[in-house]
């Protein structure tokens, strides 16, 4: 586990509405300490992606809006910044489903990640080599059109592209999606290496609870746009409810957290 | 027999060269369509507006090159203005809304251009003769218009320049990224507004070149905006997303319409006339049935 510093990202009780009417996040609060990997867990439609997009402000491009609460990065409000501003500040999102530029080569994809940088070509090339060190496979495929590379390579390209912006924080949305278990482990290994060596903090949305909690320091569980449980990754792994509902270790089948008595719903804004 | 063959080549070259003029107009459409997925109905009006502005500035007594520069500046400002006033407020709206906006823009530009510079037909003389080129006549024994050669040269320089810009610069890379995936481009911090302004400026530059070449051939007048119609079959043939397609499509349309005009009308004894006017559309229509994405239309990459 990386050394953890002070608060890097603080989300305070945000509400998100799509298309002016669809209320999706109903008061989500979370904190990412500097140097941490924080997992954001939950089933389909729980609001994980929406939370990440609220931070990176890609929400606006989907007619979504943060209508309540605040988002702070390094103690400054960032809710009204553009994605371009945020990338410059060091916050980059890797979108769900990779979203590589299909008709560009792998290397061109990586270079687009450096678009906002102004520190010169030499520095950018240095970081390109750094990305290739973490993802040797991308170096082999540097001249291939990204659209024709494998799902794993596309995920690596997407993460590498984000790294090219020299971020402090990566918002990583479902890196495991559609990948074979072994490849998922490989990617998470690299994420944790990046976290330690490059000092990148991660806010990580995952449905693959098991893997996410293995690599994360801390976890939040979302349900229906609310945080229903949070804690150290280790304690969440041990938590009976989590085991039952998300790790599938119970014979009782999946239920909602709402149905269980012994679960204490968090409402930090009331506390 | 050789004179027959010579005649064939003359028609072919003439057709290819005039086809390049279609390509130029098509190119403007492609640039904007690629970057923003919008079919820019106003491209023809931009051609007219550019030519009118250029002639207007010349008439004010400004010499050729400064006038060209000034006109270029106007087109750049126009691009930035369009991005601010038309595109930015409509971002995230369905493409049809943007298309409608470009229809409005088209009328605005036509009105504005004619309002400022007047509606009478004006000659534009670039100082290049539309006569058979003597050097080529001596060397190859066929007649090719000097003006056609000149416009082909202009088009080649323009396309070459744009290709370099797209493939070798940071901004060019950003443009191609936006063309591929808006959302991902946003996510890596590429400001879409800048990209759009740049693309519209590039389309403005293309419109200016097309306006000057077409204007000096047809006279600068309202019907100049209709050359956009000639670009449609080119686009269908070449695909809406391919610069190479716009060029090749233009060449094919230009050559085939001239050949059809000459040979089909003589073959039918003149019974089928004015083939040039409808042949490209028929060709495009046939093509649409066989290969709807166009010759070079970007393949949608699907992995299984
Ligand atoms: N652009 C949008 N417009 C309207 N509703 C949306 C939009 N995007 C998401 N939603 C809704 O918001 C809710 C949360 O979606 P979100 O994508 O954040 O979930 P998620 O936790 O990331 O799910 P998944 O694991 O499937 O990716 C869903 O009910 C979804 O239908
Ligand atoms: Mg999601």
């Amino acid at each position: 586990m990386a050394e953890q510093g002070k608060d890097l990202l603080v989300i305070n009780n945000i509400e998100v509405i799509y298309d002016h009417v669809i209320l999706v996040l109903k008061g989500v609060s979370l904190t990412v300490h500097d140097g941490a990997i924080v997992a954001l867990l939950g089933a389909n439609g729980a609001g994980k992606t929406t939370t990440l997009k609220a931070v990176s402000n890609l929400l606006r491009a989907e007619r979504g809006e943060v209508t309540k609460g605040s988002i702070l990065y390094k103690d400054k409000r960032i809710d009204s910044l553009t994605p371009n501003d945020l990338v410059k500040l060091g916050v980059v999102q890797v979108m769900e489903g990779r979203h590589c530029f299909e008709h560009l080569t792998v290397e061109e994809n990586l270079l687009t990640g450096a678009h906002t940088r102004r520190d010169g070509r030499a520095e950018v090339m240095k970081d390109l080599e750094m990305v290739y060190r973490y993802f040797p496979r991308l170096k082999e495929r540097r001249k291939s059109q990204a659209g024709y590379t494998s799902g794993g390579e596309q995920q690596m390209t997407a993460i590498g592209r984000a790294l090219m912006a020299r971020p402090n924080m990566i918002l990583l949305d479902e890196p495991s999606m559609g990948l074979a278990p072994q490849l998922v482990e490989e990617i998470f290994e690299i994420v944790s290496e990046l976290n330690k060596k490059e000092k990148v903090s991660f806010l990580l949305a995952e449905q693959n609870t098991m893997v996410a909690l293995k690599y994360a320091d801390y976890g939040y569980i979302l349900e229906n746009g609310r945080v229903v449980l949070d804690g150290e990754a280790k304690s969440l792994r041990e938590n009976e409810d989590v085991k039952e509902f998300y790790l599938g270790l119970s014979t009782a089948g999946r239920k909602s957290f709402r149905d269980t008595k012994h679960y204490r719903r968090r409402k930090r804004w009331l506390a | 027999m050789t004179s027959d063959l010579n005649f064939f080549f003359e028609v072919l070259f003439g057709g290819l060269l005039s086809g390049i003029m279609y390509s130029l107009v098509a190119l403007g459409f492609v640039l904007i369509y690629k970057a923003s997925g919008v079919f820019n109905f106003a491209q023809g009006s931009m051609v007219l507006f550019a030519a009118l502005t250029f002639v207007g500035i010349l008439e004010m007594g400004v010499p050729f090159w400064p006038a060209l520069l000034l006109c270029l500046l106007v087109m750049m400002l126009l691009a930035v203005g369009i991005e601010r006033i038309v595109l930015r407020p409509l971002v995230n709206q369905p493409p049809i809304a943007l298309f409608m906006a470009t229809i409005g823009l088209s009328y605005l530009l036509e009105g504005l251009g004619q309002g400022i510079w007047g509606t009478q037909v004006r000659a534009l003389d670039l100082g290049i003769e539309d006569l058979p080129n003597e050097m080529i006549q001596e060397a190859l024994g066929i007649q090719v218009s000097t003006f056609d050669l000149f416009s082909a040269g202009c088009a080649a320089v323009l396309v070459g320049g744009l290709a370099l810009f797209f493939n070798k610069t940071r901004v060019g890379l950003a443009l191609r990224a936006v063309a591929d995936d808006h959302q991902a481009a946003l996510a890596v911090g590429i400001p879409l507004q800048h990209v759009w302004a740049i693309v519209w400026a590039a389309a403005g530059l293309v419109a200016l070149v097309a306006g000057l070449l077409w204007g000096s051939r047809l006279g600068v007048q309202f019907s100049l905006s209709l050359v956009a119609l000639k670009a449609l079959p080119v686009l269908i043939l070449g695909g809406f997303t391919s610069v190479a397609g716009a060029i090749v499509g233009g060449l094919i349309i230009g050559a085939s319409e001239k050949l059809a005009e000459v040979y089909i009308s003589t073959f039918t004894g003149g019974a089928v006339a004015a083939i040039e006017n409808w042949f490209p559309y028929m060709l495009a229509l046939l093509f649409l049935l066989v290969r709807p994405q166009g010759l070079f239309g970007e393949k949608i990459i699907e992995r299984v």
Side-chain angles (χ1 to χ4, degrees), chain B residues 220-253:
Chain B
V220 177
Q221 55 174 322
F222 176 74
S223 67
L224 210 52
S225 64
L226 302 180
V227 299
L229 294 181
K230 278 285 189 181
L232 285 181
V234 175
L235 289 170
I236 292 172
L237 220 63
F240 277 80
T241 52
S242 163
V243 172
I247 307 298
V248 176
L251 292 176
I252 293 175
I253 293 286

Side-chain angles (χ1 to χ4, degrees), chain B residues 118-242:
Chain B
T119 51
Q120 71 274 31
V121 182
R122 280 180 240 175
L124 170 59
D125 186 9
L126 297 177
I128 315 280
E129 288 177 312
D130 200 357
L131 291 173
N133 185 286
E134 283 167 20
M135 259 160 53
I136 290 195
Q137 188 153 19
E138 271 170 33
L140 302 172
I142 55 176
Q143 301 193 336
V144 179
S145 154
T146 307
F147 184 83
D148 282 347
L149 285 173
F150 172 76
S151 29
C154 287
V157 169
L158 190 66
V159 170
L162 285 175
L164 277 180
F165 176 63
F166 274 113
N167 291 308
K168 299 287 172 210
T169 67
R170 201 176 64 91
V171 176
L173 182 65
L175 290 174
R176 285 186 294 141
V178 170
D180 247 16
D181 191 329
H182 279 198
Q183 281 216 325
L186 267 179
V188 296
I190 296 172
L192 289 186
Q193 290 95 343
H194 291 190
V195 169
W196 283 338
I198 291 168
V199 165
W200 279 75
L205 170 67
V206 172
L208 174 60
V209 175
L212 295 192
L213 295 174
W214 277 103
S216 72
R217 169 154 284 178
L218 305 176
V220 177
Q221 55 174 322
F222 176 74
S223 67
L224 210 52
S225 64
L226 302 180
V227 299
L229 294 181
K230 278 285 189 181
L232 285 181
V234 175
L235 289 170
I236 292 172
L237 220 63
F240 277 80
T241 52
S242 163

Side-chain angles (χ1 to χ4, degrees), chain A residues 176-188:
Chain A
S176 75
M177 188 198 246
L179 301 184
Q182 204 187 340
L183 204 55
V184 172
E185 291 279 343
E186 191 183 326
I187 286 188
F188 272 88

Side-chain angles (χ1 to χ4, degrees), chain A residues 146-162:
Chain A
Y148 291 111
T149 59
S150 73
E153 286 159 351
Q154 290 191 10
Q155 187 63 63
M156 294 176 186
T157 303
I159 296 174
R161 186 174 65 185

Side-chain angles (χ1 to χ4, degrees), chain A residues 58 60-63 83-84 87 92 95 99 101-104 108 111-112 115-116 118 145 147-149 161, chain B residues 92-93 167 170-171 173-174 176-178 180-181 183-191 298-301 303:
Chain A
L58 292 174
R60 238 181 273 161
E62 293 192 37
R63 296 184 299 280
N84 170 261
V87 173
V92 187
M95 283 195 287
H99 281 268
F101 301 117
E102 295 190 330
H103 297 93
L104 306 193
E108 284 173 333
L111 289 175
T112 58
H115 184 83
T116 51
R118 292 290 176 275
Q145 249 188 50
Y148 291 111
T149 59
R161 186 174 65 185
Chain B
N92 303 325
Q93 298 303 315
N167 291 308
R170 201 176 64 91
V171 176
L173 182 65
R176 285 186 294 141
V178 170
D180 247 16
D181 191 329
Q183 281 216 325
L186 267 179
V188 296
I190 296 172
E298 227 153 46
K299 256 193 266 166
I300 303 192
I301 297 180
R303 301 192 80 267

Side-chain angles (χ1 to χ4, degrees), chain A residues 18-19 22 24 42-51 62 96 173-174 207:
Chain A
Y18 282 111
D19 284 321
I22 310 167
V24 169
N44 283 116
K48 305 181 293 293
T49 299
T50 302
T51 307
E62 293 192 37
E96 184 176 329
D173 202 350
E174 301 223 18
Q207 286 203 36

